[in-house]
């Protein structure tokens, strides 16, 4: 039993093997982009939206609303990043129910890649928002003693993101595989349904946490408190 | 559980490509479509608001125009009623005036007709009276009317000779007028009686076709006469009283005998 689709090599090009994680990622990407292209290819403002366009508008507006509530701004760049995280993870997790399809998010490489993307995006958004000095200054707040702890906290965020998503998705797939051997029909179906719910929740948590990290990096620092009078 | 760093790098690249693709084919078209639709809705709402304001202004203008038309109509109706009332009053007054004038003309005409009728009646009555009197005298007294008239006037002459003489003054002419010439024997009788009561007076005879039947003796400013006028006047008076009584609805009927 393979715990990660990284080991499933589908095509080998010289020294590099094209594993199932990458291929399945491309499938998810193709589904997302293809569906978007099909729905948005003939957009006209004076034409009433059809049901698919309405579905995509609802999803996009829901993402925009959630990100707006967290960041208190209407920054679209954050939405592009966090929204793509949510859609990619959610669709990958939903495809768990397709027989023979190993979700890319059940690969630790994928979750690590997404966590690294978040780790890189946080300073980039922070520097783009307030400049390099302000971003670096928050590592020594409230005092310089906190510098190592803030650095550890920054990296631990990424590790927790990667491990949480990987653990949830991989465990769901493993449990479903184990139960398939024990009770061939009933328990796998129940676990797959539970896996769908868990997958959506994990996608939501991953995207929300990424948005929170970016928001904390781009938020304005609190105004300095007035000095207290000496007794 | 291991991390394939090549896969990690590939997945990072895949994710970045996916971000760009979704931005290109999902977020921008959807958000731009939403913005365009919101803009279109705002524009249509603005147009609807403008149209509503225009409609409200048109409604207000219409109501003002209707009120003006109502006021104009009321004024025109009041003016027409006033003109009609004035014309009615004028026509009524004119009708009353014309009616009064026609009534007066009718009264005048009726009075004229009555006078004509009375004149014809008096003339016919006089002729009838003369004829009847003449017939009665001839049948009852074997006497002519002219002889009776002469006898009547001569009777008055005997009684009023002194009065006539004083009224004559220096004029010594006495004139006898009748409608038809008197017979010669009656003229001779008149000469004799005049010479006896009014000596020195020159008696002349004349005829007057329009004179009432009878005989008139004029001496200066005085005269003696017998004509049927007094009888016809009395007949006319009786007829007037009878007509007046019938007109007033009393219904008096003359008693026979």
């Amino acid at each position: 039993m393979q715990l990660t689709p990284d080991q499933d090599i589908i095509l080998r090009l010289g020294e590099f093997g094209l594993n199932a994680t990458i291929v399945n990622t491309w499938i998810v990407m193709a589904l997302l982009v293809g569906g978007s292209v099909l729905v948005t290819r003939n957009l006209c403002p004076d034409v009433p939206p059809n049901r698919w366009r309405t579905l995509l508008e609802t999803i996009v507006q829901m993402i925009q609303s959630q990100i707006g509530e967290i960041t208190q701004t209407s920054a679209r760049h954050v939405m592009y990043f966090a929204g793509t995280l949510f859609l990619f993870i959610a669709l990958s997790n939903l495809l768990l129910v397709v027989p023979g399809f190993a979700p890319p998010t059940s690969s630790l490489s994928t979750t690590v890649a997404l966590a690294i993307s978040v780790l890189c995006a946080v300073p980039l958004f922070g520097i783009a928002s307030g400049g390099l000095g302000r971003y670096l200054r928050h590592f020594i707040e409230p005092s310089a003693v906190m510098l190592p702890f803030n650095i550890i906290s920054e990296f631990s965020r990424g590790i927790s993101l990667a491990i949480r998503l990987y653990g949830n998705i991989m465990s769901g797939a493993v449990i479903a595989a184990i139960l398939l051997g024990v009770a061939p029909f009933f328990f796998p179906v129940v676990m797959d349904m539970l896996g769908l719910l868990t997958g959506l929740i994990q996608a939501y948590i991953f995207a929300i946490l990424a948005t929170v990290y970016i928001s904390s990096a781009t938020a304005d620092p609190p105004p300095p408190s007035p000095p207290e009078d000496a007794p | 559980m291991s991390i394939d760093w090549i896969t990690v790098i590939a997945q990072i690249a895949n994710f970045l490509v996916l971000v760009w693709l979704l931005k290109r084919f999902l977020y921008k078209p959807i958000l731009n479509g939403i913005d365009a639709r919101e803009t279109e809705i705002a524009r249509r709402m603005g147009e609807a608001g403008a149209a509503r304001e225009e409609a409200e202004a048109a409604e207000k203008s219409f109501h003002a125009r209707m009120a003006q038309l109502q006021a104009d109509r009321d004024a025109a109706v009041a003016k027409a009623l006033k003109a009609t009332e004035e014309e009615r009053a004028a026509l009524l007054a004119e009708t009353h005036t014309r009616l009064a004038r026609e009534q007066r003309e009718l009264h005048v005409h009726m009075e004229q007709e009555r006078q004509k009728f009375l004149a014809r009646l008096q003339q016919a009555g006089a002729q009838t009276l003369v004829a009847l009197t003449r017939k009665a005298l001839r049948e009852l007294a074997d006497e002519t009317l002219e002889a009776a008239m002469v006898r009547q006037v001569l009777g008055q002459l005997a009684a009023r000779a002194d009065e006539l003489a004083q009224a004559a003054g220096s004029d010594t002419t006495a004139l006898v007028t009748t409608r038809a010439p008197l017979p010669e024997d009656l003229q001779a009788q008149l000469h004799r009686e005049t010479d006896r009561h009014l000596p020195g007076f020159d008696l002349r005879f004349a005829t007057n076709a329009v004179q009432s039947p009878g005989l008139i003796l004029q001496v200066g400013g005085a005269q003696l006469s017998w004509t049927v006028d007094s009888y016809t006047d009395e007949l006319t008076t009786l007829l007037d009283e009878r007509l007046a009584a019938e007109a007033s609805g009393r219904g008096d009927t003359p008693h026979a005998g």
Side-chain angles (χ1 to χ4, degrees), chain A residues 65-145:
Chain A
S65 170
Q66 290 289 325
I67 292 172
E69 286 180 4
I70 295 170
T71 62
Q72 299 298 322
T73 62
S74 60
R76 288 193 173 182
H77 288 89
V78 179
M79 191 194 72
Y80 299 153
F81 184 79
T84 304
L85 276 176
F86 172 77
L87 291 177
F88 175 70
I89 297 171
L91 185 60
S92 297
N93 295 344
L94 290 178
L95 290 178
L96 175 69
V97 298
V98 177
F101 184 86
T105 47
S106 63
S107 162
L108 184 60
S109 301
T110 302
T111 58
V112 168
L114 296 178
I116 290 173
S117 299
V118 173
L119 281 179
C120 294
V122 169
L124 287 177
F125 279 108
I127 292 170
S129 173
L132 181 61
R134 203 185 93 184
Y135 174 73
L136 294 178
R137 198 178 304 123
H138 91 277
F139 282 101
I140 57 174
E141 288 176 351
S143 67
V145 180

Side-chain angles (χ1 to χ4, degrees), chain A:
Chain A
M1 175 180 178
Q2 293 180 352
L3 292 180
T4 172
D6 292 352
Q7 300 170 356
D8 187 6
I9 304 299
I10 296 176
L11 182 63
R12 182 169 293 279
L13 300 172
E15 295 182 359
F16 299 100
L18 198 59
N19 56 36
T21 301
I22 295 175
V23 172
N24 290 346
T25 298
W26 287 349
I27 292 173
V28 172
M29 289 171 62
L31 288 175
L32 284 173
V33 176
S36 301
V37 170
L38 284 177
V39 173
T40 63
R41 59 183 173 178
N42 290 324
L43 280 181
C44 292
D46 52 347
V47 175
N50 54 21
R51 63 179 65 179
W52 294 108
R53 182 183 164 190
T54 303
L55 175 64
L56 281 188
E57 286 185 357
T58 303
I59 292 172
V60 170
Q61 283 187 314
M62 183 185 69
I63 295 170
Q64 190 180 27
S65 170
Q66 290 289 325
I67 292 172
E69 286 180 4
I70 295 170
T71 62
Q72 299 298 322
T73 62
S74 60
R76 288 193 173 182
H77 288 89
V78 179
M79 191 194 72
Y80 299 153
F81 184 79
T84 304
L85 276 176
F86 172 77
L87 291 177
F88 175 70
I89 297 171
L91 185 60
S92 297
N93 295 344
L94 290 178
L95 290 178
L96 175 69
V97 298
V98 177
F101 184 86
T105 47
S106 63
S107 162
L108 184 60
S109 301
T110 302
T111 58
V112 168
L114 296 178
I116 290 173
S117 299
V118 173
L119 281 179
C120 294
V122 169
L124 287 177
F125 279 108
I127 292 170
S129 173
L132 181 61
R134 203 185 93 184
Y135 174 73
L136 294 178
R137 198 178 304 123
H138 91 277
F139 282 101
I140 57 174
E141 288 176 351
S143 67
V145 180
M146 296 298 292
L147 176 63
F149 300 103
N150 284 331
I151 293 174
I152 293 172
S153 169
E154 200 75 12
F155 282 98
S156 65
R157 287 176 181 175
I159 295 172
S160 68
L161 278 176
I163 298 300
R164 182 189 303 110
L165 179 59
Y166 167 73
N168 278 281
I169 303 306
M170 183 272 291
S171 63
V174 170
I175 289 172
I178 294 172
L179 290 177
L180 191 63
V182 176
F185 182 70
F186 182 71
F187 282 114
V189 170
V190 174
M191 290 309 296
D192 277 348
M193 291 174 63
L194 187 62
L196 291 177
L197 180 63
T198 306
L200 282 177
I201 292 174
Q202 288 304 317
Y204 179 76
I205 289 173
F206 199 101
I208 288 295
L209 285 177
T211 306
V212 169
Y213 297 154
I214 293 171
S215 175
S216 64
T218 58
D220 293 332
S225 58
E228 296 180 358
D229 296 337

